[in-house]
Amino acid sequence: MLTPPTASTTPPLSRPGHCSQALLLNPDRALVLLLPLTLISLAQMVLGQEEYLVSVGSSSVPVARNTFTVEPVAARLKEAIAYEDGEGLSYGQPFHLKCNDALGKGDLYLASAQHTPHRGSRITNHQAVFMSSVCDNNAVWIFHHVSDMGIKTGATRLLSLGEAVPSNTPVVMLHRATGQSLYCDDSVSESTEFGLEYEVCANSSKAPNKCESLVAEAKGTMTASTNVRAELAANQWMVAMA
């Protein structure tokens, strides 16, 4: 059973490559990221790469399909900002999410790719999310802080960079290459080999209100006074250690 996050239930995530299996949950609706192991049709495969569909289910019982390992990125994929190689994964630190070895499918990584007329999620046609055997920039993700201060989202997110990511706490999981966040709408269901589950894609769903976000926009820089719109519940997840 999922419990509200408390000080005693929010240990930091282990260092990439040194953690136990983790579940990726949606905190509001108790949805869990799953790997159905359905090979994407040849028409959607790129250069013969093996890619598998990903969906979201409602069971939080740890099994091979819904547990993943946080893996460090190669030196060529690291951020310009150096993160200390400590005991925990930090906000803003790039990582790979690798499938459970017990699946017997080899090394597969959660990935996404730029949306095109020929490449998108099956139902909503948003940016597709899939498991790929290629561990490149398309498989790099970042955790962002979820602000509880309303219009101060930009400030709290910037100031939280480098802090340890706690488990059992809402976070936003951003696809670094495209800037889109992991998204699931529980009104969009799909049939899989394991029954009725929900589509997952990369789509940043944000509050409709305007905010002042013009600080150093021409330079593309962000400061503590830069406001950004907060992501809605469909973009919020939390990591539970399995």
Side-chain angles (χ1 to χ4, degrees):
M1 181 177 66
L2 301 180
T3 57
T6 64
S8 62
T9 60
T10 56
L13 297 186
S14 302
R15 183 173 62 226
H18 294 76
C19 72
S20 59
Q21 299 298 316
L23 291 134
L24 194 61
L25 312 168
N26 183 287
D28 289 337
R29 291 160 292 177
L31 300 179
V32 186
L33 189 68
L34 298 171
L35 177 58
L37 289 182
T38 301
L39 189 64
I40 294 177
S41 65
L42 293 177
Q44 293 179 277
M45 292 180 65
V46 180
L47 300 177
Q49 300 172 7
E50 280 195 1
E51 296 177 357
Y52 293 83
L53 294 175
V54 179
S55 62
V56 168
S58 56
S59 174
S60 60
V61 178
V63 294
R65 288 184 64 219
N66 64 10
T67 52
F68 303 83
T69 303
V70 177
E71 294 283 339
V73 299
R76 61 184 176 84
L77 297 175
K78 289 185 176 180
E79 294 282 327
I81 302 174
Y83 289 90
E84 294 185 8
D85 192 17
E87 291 300 323
L89 180 68
S90 302
Y91 285 117
Q93 183 178 6
F95 65 92
H96 300 298
L97 206 60
K98 180 184 172 185
C99 77
N100 194 319
D101 293 335
L103 291 172
K105 293 290 183 177
D107 293 340
L108 294 174
Y109 302 88
L110 188 70
S112 186
Q114 189 71 44
H115 180 272
T116 70
H118 306 287
R119 190 184 185 94
S121 58
R122 292 197 299 175
I123 301 174
T124 60
N125 198 32
H126 290 312
Q127 183 174 304
V129 172
F130 48 88
M131 300 300 292
S132 173
S133 58
V134 179
C135 187
D136 58 7
N137 194 48
N138 283 339
V140 177
W141 300 85
I142 292 173
F143 281 133
H144 276 319
H145 185 275
V146 174
S147 174
D148 56 0
M149 299 177 62
I151 64 172
K152 299 297 184 181
T153 299
T156 55
R157 183 160 294 179
L158 179 66
L159 296 175
S160 67
L161 294 178
E163 295 181 1
V165 179
S167 60
N168 303 323
T169 299
V171 294
V172 171
M173 188 167 163
L174 182 76
H175 185 243
R176 189 180 69 174
T178 60
Q180 296 295 314
S181 302
L182 192 67
Y183 173 90
C184 176
D185 182 351
D186 60 0
S187 67
V188 182
S189 59
E190 60 180 341
S191 179
T192 72
E193 297 173 1
F194 299 89
L196 189 66
E197 295 176 346
Y198 306 98
E199 181 187 71
V200 63
C201 57
N203 176 45
S204 295
S205 175
K206 299 186 178 183
N209 57 291
K210 294 183 178 180
C211 61
E212 299 173 357
S213 55
L214 300 178
V215 178
E217 188 177 69
K219 296 181 181 179
T221 57
M222 181 179 289
T223 71
S225 60
T226 303
N227 289 326
V228 297
R229 291 183 298 164
E231 290 83 1
L232 299 179
N235 282 132
Q236 296 183 17
W237 305 80
M238 66 182 183
V239 180
M241 306 309 292

